[in-house]
Amino acid sequence: MGNSIGSDSSPMTPSAHPAVINRFFSGSAWIEGAALNQLDEMSRLPGVLEIAAFPDLHPGKYGATGVALLSSRLHPLLIGNDIGCGMSLFALDLPLRKLKIDKAAERLRRLEAQVIGDVSDLLAETGLPADLAPGALGTIGGGNHFCELQAVEDLAEGGRIAGLDDQQLYLLVHSGSRALGAAVFSEAVAAHPGLVAGLDPRSEAGGAWLASHDRCVAWASLNRRLIAARAAAALRADLSLVADIPHNLVRRSDRGFVHYKGAAAVRPGELAPIAGSRASLSHVVLATDGVGRSLGGISHGAGRKYDRATMHGRVGRNRSEREQLLRNAWGGVAICDDRALVVEEAASAYKDAGQVASDLENGGLIVGLASLRPLVTFKKAVDEAEVEQRRRKPDHRREGGRGHERY
DNA sequence: ATGTCC
């Protein structure tokens, strides 16, 4: 089979005719020029036939995020390292009236300490090797990932019909394939110097990436389920799945391969979460038949407004400001023992998910069902036992590290 | 995004 790159007529040469770009955002959407430029570059990549761009569009490393892209070739760079990342929404059997936020936060602080036992059977049931990173299952990771306890703020009639209940509590989990997807990504980058031109899906390299990708997508979905199971165990509650929607993956279609880069992959009639932030509303929406015009994509969240680096100059310059960033207008709290992450993930770093949902609704892609308010946002908690152990036996490799200090 | 540069 040999080198798959270049097996099309001339994939290194940008197409003479760029792919059509369909924009599903209004003039009120906050879209950076850099993201629009990236969109243009993506439309000229080999094999790219059509692009749908969503209102959460923002610049990314190898292309804009908030995009569905149809291509005859596979583009692993566009998917990036968190293959299979997604949002899962669960209903808890805990009634809102029984909730004490501080008590729930105290319990959720121990989320990742919950024992989930032997997961080899779960992996096998998912069609995955029983020894595929079992120890990483049920871990959230960093960046924009979280597990959030939410209550219904507004419920539309459609939401009630869909079974949403404004007296119940919900869990929204945003996570992906952890080190698994990162390894698949870096191996692909190392093996194919011309990866920017994509891979021929019929080649050995293309097939291998796709197979690894499929495992990451399945593993990431199981990971979200186990994160929720841990949260439910910490809260001593039962849960049921409402929606599990990935937004970083490739799906086969009869026209080629649809790449979803930070765009939720939905089918008509499916419920999907559109995440806000730790201090703003998330939305639950229903995908309409209109998603046939958007390559089956919609936004998965508010989308970044400011990059991580510049957030440090904007908010949380002192301790009391950082402490404010852990509280929201509904009495909700965030659990985040990583000082840099508190600043980088501040609500003001994000666009308004309500504006995003409204653009999608006006574009005929969704119908809004409910908005959800954040009550406890779990991001990262240091293990006190581990801290104590480190105090006794200092780990010199960590010396000099900056930006990830505790409070 | 990633045991986030050893």
Side-chain angles (χ1 to χ4, degrees):
Chain A
M1 196 81 63
N3 185 7
S4 64
I5 296 167
S7 48
D8 278 3
S9 53
S10 182
M12 295 302 290
T13 311
S15 318
H17 301 289
V20 60
I21 302 172
N22 294 313
R23 296 166 182 83
F24 293 91
F25 49 83
S26 73
S28 23
W30 171 296
I31 310 280
E32 277 183 68
L36 297 174
N37 292 340
Q38 286 186 329
L39 211 52
D40 191 60
E41 287 164 18
M42 291 160 86
S43 75
R44 295 167 199 278
L45 287 173
V48 176
L49 303 165
E50 185 181 326
I51 293 176
F54 303 108
D56 57 336
L57 190 80
H58 57 282
K61 185 161 185 189
Y62 295 102
T65 298
V67 164
L69 176 149
L70 173 69
S71 171
S72 61
R73 291 175 68 80
L74 294 168
H75 287 281
L77 285 180
L78 296 184
I79 302 304
N81 62 1
D82 198 4
I83 305 165
C85 188
M87 297 268 177
S88 296
L89 182 69
F90 301 82
L92 285 164
D93 69 346
L94 280 178
L96 172 63
R97 65 185 158 77
K98 290 218 173 164
L99 177 77
K100 291 191 180 75
I101 288 176
D102 288 348
K103 183 71 182 169
E106 189 186 315
R107 288 181 169 177
L108 280 173
R109 175 163 274 284
R110 298 184 37 78
L111 189 155
E112 288 183 327
Q114 301 298 314
V115 178
I116 43 179
D118 186 2
V119 291
S120 53
D121 286 350
L122 282 172
L123 283 161
E125 282 167 28
T126 315
L128 294 168
D131 60 350
L132 192 65
L137 281 169
T139 64
I140 293 170
N144 55 3
H145 290 173
F146 61 81
C147 173
E148 188 168 89
L149 181 66
Q150 303 180 329
V152 174
E153 179 74 4
D154 282 307
L155 185 59
E157 183 55 22
R160 209 176 295 278
I161 291 166
L164 298 173
D165 181 345
D166 58 6
Q167 299 306 308
Q168 293 297 118
L169 292 167
Y170 290 85
L171 276 177
L172 180 60
V173 178
H174 180 193
S175 189
S177 53
R178 311 289 280 110
L180 209 59
V184 171
F185 179 71
S186 57
E187 280 159 26
V189 170
H192 309 292
L195 196 56
V196 69
L199 299 173
D200 182 341
R202 295 154 302 186
S203 71
E204 195 176 326
W209 180 80
L210 207 48
S212 299
H213 157 280
D214 290 350
R215 279 192 292 276
C216 289
V217 171
W219 192 97
S221 173
L222 179 59
N223 187 34
R224 288 189 290 276
R225 190 144 67 88
L226 290 174
I227 290 166
R230 277 182 157 171
L235 294 167
R236 293 158 210 180
D238 283 328
L239 47 70
S240 59
L241 181 69
V242 176
D244 176 21
I245 308 289
H247 54 244
N248 228 24
L249 77 164
V250 167
R251 273 192 181 161
R252 291 99 171 145
S253 87
D254 49 11
R255 297 167 60 202
F257 295 86
V258 184
H259 297 61
Y260 299 89
K261 177 53 179 176
V266 292
R267 298 183 175 91
E270 216 168 19
L271 260 65
I274 297 181
S277 73
R278 67 167 71 131
S280 63
L281 298 176
S282 293
H283 297 263
V284 182
V285 305
L286 179 72
T288 67
D289 292 341
V291 298
R293 295 183 291 108
S294 69
L295 299 170
I298 60 171
S299 299
H300 77 282
R304 279 203 92 84
K305 191 169 175 180
Y306 300 119
D307 63 57
R308 293 172 189 285
T310 63
M311 281 309 292
H312 289 282
R314 294 177 195 278
V315 298
R317 315 281 301 255
N318 59 54
R319 190 189 173 107
S320 79
E321 267 182 46
R322 284 195 297 277
E323 277 171 1
Q324 272 311 305
L325 293 176
L326 297 175
R327 317 201 161 274
N328 68 39
W330 300 279
V333 296
I335 300 162
C336 185
D337 289 341
D338 183 325
R339 180 199 272 205
L341 208 49
V342 170
V343 170
E344 292 163 9
E345 292 295 310
S348 55
Y350 286 90
K351 307 185 199 194
D352 174 16
Q355 178 64 51
V356 167
S358 150
D359 272 10
L360 295 174
E361 188 147 18
N362 291 333
L365 302 185
I366 61 137
V367 173
L369 298 182
S371 61
L372 304 173
R373 61 179 183 273
L375 298 177
V376 182
T377 308
F378 180 93
K379 287 192 71 73
K380 190 169 285 190
V382 292
D383 185 328
E384 292 302 336
E386 203 176 292
V387 170
E388 181 58 27
Q389 198 172 23
R390 212 176 292 148
R391 209 185 337 257
R392 287 164 201 264
K393 189 181 152 193
D395 183 346
H396 293 286
R397 287 171 304 174
R398 287 178 180 270
E399 280 182 5
R402 287 177 23 254
H404 295 270
E405 300 90 345
R406 271 200 85 194
Y407 285 84

